[in-house]
Amino acid sequence: MSTEKEIKSSKRSLEEAEKNESTKKLKVKSDKKDHKEEKNKKEKKEKKDKKEKKEKKDKKDKKEKKEKKEKKDKEEKKESKSDDTVSSEQTAVPAAAAAAAAPSSAEVTKFLADNSVKIEDDSNSNIQPCLSFDSLPVESKIISILKKFPKPSPIQAASWPFLLAGRDVVGVAETGSGKTFAFSVPVVNHIIQEKKKGVRALVVSPTRELAMQIYDSLVTLTNVTDISAVCVYGGVPKEEQRQGLKKASIVIATPGRLKDLIEEGSADLSKVEYLVLDEADRMLEKGFEEDIKSIVSNTNSDGRQTIMFTATWPPEVRKLASTFMNNAVKVYIGERDELAANKRITQLVEVIDPFRKEQRLLQLLKEHQSGAKKDDKILVFALYKKEATRVERLLQNRGFALAAIHGDLGQAQRTKALEDFKTGRSKILLATDVAARGLDIPAVKVVINLTFPLTAEDYVHRIGRTGRAGQTGLAITLFTEQEKHLSGALINVLRGANQPVPDELLKFGSHTKKKEHSAYGAFFKDVDSTKKATKVKFD
Ligand SMILES: Nc1ncnc2c1ncn2[C@@H]1O[C@H](COP(=O)(O)OP(=O)(O)OP(=O)(O)O)[C@@H](O)[C@H]1O
């Protein structure tokens, strides 16, 4: 019995031992499993951490790289803009040579005084004018084009160094004083050196004809480089302009067509570094202000250099101009606050009965195109397109061979008329204010204002079609009682240019009315809805 008991007991102990063993095994197994899971978990976490760390590092590296590149680009741009560091191999007027040719301080003082140059520069950067082409630190190819002129004109001499140093500039100088090259030369020079793709410079002009003329001027500079320019303006098909925009570095444009091309996605201005508003006061007047704001918003506001040139700079537009600019330098040649006409133009004003104006025009044309003067070019301004059309017919009936340019004509007719007048095929051009600003027509001897324009500024621009580039000229203005509200402003312009003021004009009063119709301005306002009806009847 006892043996059986012992056997049973040892069997039980054996079973217990086995059970313990198996529990132990199970436990070990489970511990092992837990351990493995933990390990996996740990590895996974480590992997994740590592990945996140790497991503963070990559991001940081990328950011640093980008910042470094931007800094480098900025520095390079700054360097290329700095007038004394333009020393690339291609620059045949190296900084050293340009510095050697730099004017003495006595020469600078004389230049500033002789030309009534006023420079307003809040940064006090002490940038000196550049009085000869030899002291201009730009590409030799550009200098070779400029050397057809004896020396820089005052506005060029005073504004080039600031523009080359990358500053925003407002340049105000009389009509016909070389403002187009004043802004074009630095822009083309920068673009040659940058060699980047895309539209880098945008020049905006108020009229199609002026846009084309600026393009022609710029092309004389870009022709000696591999830079491409395109002119975009209304009244002609868009396709050629779209193609041109694909490869152009410089765009010259009128606002309406440019806005169209931006909206349809054909014009990308995001890389524009140079924005030029030619005839800037006109571009900032009501009729264009919204277009300009919208165009400017498409350019890169950070790195953009903004440049405004004009012959007239009324206080009304100065504040708006400053919103587009960054600490701009103002360069004035001549008057700063007075509306000033070119002093080489003789201004004659005849106060006349409105009914007699056209008769008087016929006399004047005969008088100024007879004998030795028979081939002289005369530009006649009417105010509205209906008036222009009527007078065109009148002159044709009287046997005058003339060209006409106004808003009633198609673009092809306008372009042909201007071309005929430029080349001298037509000796008379009858125009509305579409031709008042900027047009550089060789050898216009006389400007006749058949009807006074809507503003004294427009008067200054109109008469500025003669007496260009140092020449003299004659402007004859028929002034009637209907314009007497402008007599004060006209008297000021006459006095400012040392011109005689007729007593009949003085009788209208010399009080100057504030400019009232910025909404009209000079261009494309060939509508006569606001003109008071006259009782004159014409066939
Ligand atoms: N340095 C210079 N010396 C002499 N003539 C020059 C010089 N630079 C430009 N010109 C010439 O002067 C003429 C007038 O220049 P431009 O048309 O640029 O005048 P502007 O000041 O823009 O006139 P506006 O106010 O009427 O627009 C042009 O025929 C141009 O070739």
Side-chain angles (χ1 to χ4, degrees):
M1 236 353 244
S2 97
T3 333
E4 200 177 324
K5 235 179 185 178
E6 277 167 15
I7 292 172
K8 256 184 187 175
S9 145
S10 67
K11 205 176 172 187
R12 215 178 294 132
S13 344
L14 202 73
E15 272 172 7
E16 264 168 24
E18 269 176 5
K19 202 175 162 190
N20 279 346
E21 186 62 21
S22 117
T23 321
K24 227 184 196 173
K25 264 188 188 164
L26 266 175
K27 191 168 182 310
V28 169
K29 213 174 170 184
S30 137
D31 281 357
K32 257 191 185 164
K33 197 180 160 206
D34 283 354
H35 183 71
K36 208 174 169 187
E37 268 174 11
E38 213 166 274
K39 201 179 159 201
N40 276 347
K41 239 186 200 169
K42 205 175 162 196
E43 275 174 7
K44 250 186 195 167
K45 193 174 176 297
E46 273 173 10
K47 237 182 186 172
K48 201 178 155 208
D49 285 354
K50 225 176 174 179
K51 202 177 159 203
E52 276 176 6
K53 224 176 176 178
K54 192 173 177 295
E55 275 174 3
K56 251 187 200 167
K57 193 174 174 288
D58 284 354
K59 231 177 177 180
K60 200 177 156 210
D61 284 354
K62 232 177 177 178
K63 201 178 158 204
E64 274 175 8
K65 221 171 163 185
K66 199 178 159 207
E67 279 172 359
K68 239 184 187 171
K69 191 177 176 299
E70 277 173 2
K71 201 173 159 202
K72 199 175 157 220
D73 283 354
K74 244 186 195 169
E75 270 165 10
E76 275 174 7
K77 196 174 164 202
K78 223 181 187 175
E79 265 174 33
S80 83
K81 283 185 177 183
S82 159
D83 56 347
D84 54 7
T85 49
V86 181
S87 57
S88 79
E89 288 162 36
Q90 314 146 332
T91 311
V93 181
S104 67
S105 64
E107 283 171 318
V108 170
T109 310
K110 186 171 180 329
F111 163 79
L112 297 175
D114 287 355
N115 296 286
S116 308
V117 182
K118 288 163 208 78
I119 294 172
E120 289 176 8
D121 174 14
D122 288 345
S123 314
N124 289 321
S125 48
N126 197 28
I127 288 176
Q128 297 298 320
C130 142
L131 306 187
S132 67
F133 293 124
D134 292 333
S135 63
L136 181 66
V138 303
E139 302 273 336
S140 59
K141 311 170 201 174
I142 294 180
I143 300 282
S144 66
I145 306 291
L146 296 173
K147 279 210 162 160
K148 67 180 173 197
F149 305 122
K151 61 177 186 197
S153 71
I155 186 68
Q156 294 164 353
S159 62
W160 275 338
F162 288 103
L163 289 167
L164 289 168
R167 298 287 304 275
D168 283 4
V169 171
V170 173
V172 185
E174 66 182 21
T175 51
S177 58
K179 294 189 285 293
T180 315
F181 275 142
F183 64 73
S184 305
V185 166
V187 167
V188 172
N189 189 62
H190 288 323
I191 293 175
I192 298 175
Q193 294 181 337
E194 280 180 347
K195 292 194 181 332
K196 289 180 191 164
K197 285 216 154 47
V199 178
R200 322 305 302 188
L202 170 65
V203 182
V204 192
S205 137
T207 65
R208 300 165 185 179
E209 285 75 13
L210 182 54
M212 286 186 244
Q213 180 185 298
I214 296 169
Y215 171 81
D216 290 341
S217 268
L218 262 159
V219 162
T220 61
L221 301 176
T222 58
N223 267 348
V224 292
T225 71
D226 51 5
I227 297 174
S228 168
V230 66
C231 188
V232 306
Y233 54 93
V236 293
K238 287 182 187 163
E239 193 44 37
E240 204 178 317
Q241 299 177 357
R242 286 191 192 109
Q243 294 309 320
L245 279 164
K246 286 185 186 158
K247 50 183 179 9
S249 299
I250 305 178
V251 175
I252 301 100
T254 52
R257 174 58 61 93
L258 180 61
K259 259 186 75 185
D260 269 8
L261 291 167
I262 293 171
E263 275 157 24
E264 67 167 44
S266 307
D268 174 8
L269 304 183
S270 60
K271 297 198 184 79
V272 164
E273 291 170 346
Y274 307 97
L275 170 69
V276 182
L277 299 190
D278 194 23
E279 306 298 338
D281 57 331
R282 174 68 188 128
M283 303 305 323
L284 298 170
E285 277 184 3
K286 291 247 158 55
F288 282 125
E289 185 188 335
E290 289 312 313
D291 283 354
I292 293 300
K293 279 185 179 160
S294 140
I295 290 167
V296 171
S297 70
N298 279 277
T299 64
N300 162 21
S301 60
D302 277 350
R304 193 190 68 221
Q305 191 176 345
T306 308
I307 303 161
M308 300 197 186
F309 276 88
T310 180
T312 51
W313 198 227
E316 298 94 79
V317 298
R318 296 183 190 186
K319 205 168 152 214
L320 177 59
S322 67
T323 63
F324 297 115
M325 307 187 93
N326 183 13
N327 191 25
V329 181
K330 284 111 188 161
V331 179
Y332 300 94
I333 311 295
E335 297 305 322
R336 181 194 176 282
D337 289 314
E338 295 300 323
L339 175 61
N342 174 340
K343 292 195 172 78
R344 288 180 312 279
I345 303 168
T346 302
Q347 301 176 56
L348 301 177
V349 176
E350 296 182 18
V351 177
I352 190 170
D353 185 318
F355 299 101
R356 287 199 52 247
K357 282 199 314 190
E358 283 164 19
Q359 205 50 44
R360 181 68 185 133
L361 173 65
L362 293 169
Q363 285 173 351
L364 287 170
L365 289 177
K366 279 188 191 136
E367 191 183 323
H368 290 277
Q369 261 181 354
S370 58
K373 300 190 284 188
K374 73 176 181 11
D375 288 330
D376 281 4
K377 280 196 234 170
I378 302 181
L379 175 53
V380 180
F381 279 105
L383 183 55
Y384 300 108
K385 62 185 178 187
K386 275 190 182 163
E387 180 190 26
T389 314
R390 192 186 65 231
V391 175
E392 184 185 1
R393 223 179 306 140
L394 169 79
L395 294 181
Q396 277 165 348
N397 288 342
R398 298 300 176 101
F400 289 98
L402 79 157
I405 173 169
H406 52 76
D408 253 358
L409 300 170
Q411 191 50 47
Q413 288 168 294
R414 275 165 61 163
T415 306
K416 181 167 186 321
L418 189 58
E419 195 51 35
D420 283 351
F421 189 55
K422 275 188 172 173
T423 57
R425 246 195 310 275
S426 302
K427 305 276 185 304
I428 300 173
L429 180 70
L430 177 67
T432 54
D433 283 291
V434 73
R437 283 184 181 242
L439 295 188
D440 187 49
I441 305 161
V444 174
K445 288 283 165 20
V446 187
V447 170
I448 300 176
N449 289 310
L450 175 64
T451 301
F452 200 78
L454 291 170
T455 67
E457 279 83 3
D458 293 343
Y459 169 78
V460 166
H461 286 281
R462 276 186 182 185
I463 68 169
R465 297 317 98 208
T466 183
R468 300 179 70 75
Q471 304 290 302
T472 56
L474 171 65
I476 304 169
T477 299
L478 305 184
F479 195 91
T480 74
E481 197 178 2
Q482 289 168 348
E483 296 98 32
K484 68 177 181 193
H485 58 288
L486 291 165
S487 62
L490 175 58
I491 289 168
N492 283 346
V493 172
L494 293 170
R495 285 186 175 144
N498 307 318
Q499 299 296 309
V501 181
D503 289 344
E504 297 91 322
L505 186 63
L506 279 170
K507 278 184 199 150
F508 290 135
S510 52
H511 173 69
T512 318
K513 272 198 167 180
K514 206 172 154 38
K515 198 174 154 200
E516 281 165 348
H517 38 69
S518 65
Y520 283 92
F523 299 104
F524 302 126
K525 304 303 168 196
D526 303 316
V527 285
D528 51 356
S529 55
T530 55
K531 196 185 178 201
K532 279 190 198 134
T534 62
K535 285 180 188 148
V536 188
K537 279 194 180 151
F538 298 94
D539 46 319

